[in-house]
Amino acid sequence: MNMGDLSGNDIGYLIRKEKGLVKDPKTGLPGPNRNATMRYTDLPDDLVSKLGRVGQKKMKGWYDYDPKVGRGRKPIPSPEVEQFIAKYRTGN
């Protein structure tokens, strides 16, 4: 997760979107190239598309970042992400 934040969660999201794997935001249906046998979770896609948490460049990804802490490079656990994952687990 640290690596995703460093490289940019949006990069992976855009690659998956280009490959036709990301859920259609209008219909909620899986991407056209995602098949039933594929193991896939929408969690990282939703992290980017719904919460805008793209990584260190925006000071929020899987973790929060504060420019005063470790020059903005030290991951700080994010209450927003914790709540998001908890809701995701229950299907809400």
Side-chain angles (χ1 to χ4, degrees):
M1 295 187 184
N2 288 347
M3 200 60 184
D5 277 358
L6 179 62
S7 62
N9 295 314
D10 55 328
I11 303 301
Y13 170 78
L14 292 171
I15 290 169
R16 292 186 298 276
K17 187 175 179 180
E18 182 68 27
K19 288 183 173 186
L21 301 174
V22 174
K23 201 186 296 182
D24 184 308
K26 292 179 185 170
T27 65
L29 296 173
N33 294 327
R34 197 184 330 170
N35 63 51
T37 61
M38 184 181 291
R39 290 184 66 182
Y40 193 93
T41 178
D42 294 308
L43 182 63
D45 298 340
D46 291 344
L47 184 81
V48 172
S49 65
K50 292 182 179 178
L51 299 182
R53 299 186 69 94
V54 297
Q56 287 185 10
K57 61 187 158 197
K58 294 288 187 179
M59 303 307 244
K60 59 181 191 170
W62 290 101
Y63 296 95
D64 289 334
Y65 298 89
D66 183 333
K68 298 172 192 162
V69 179
R71 289 186 261 172
R73 299 290 185 186
K74 183 177 181 183
I76 302 165
S78 169
E80 181 183 30
V81 172
E82 287 178 24
Q83 290 173 357
F84 179 68
I85 292 171
K87 285 174 73 177
Y88 196 87
R89 270 193 224 136
T90 62
N92 294 324

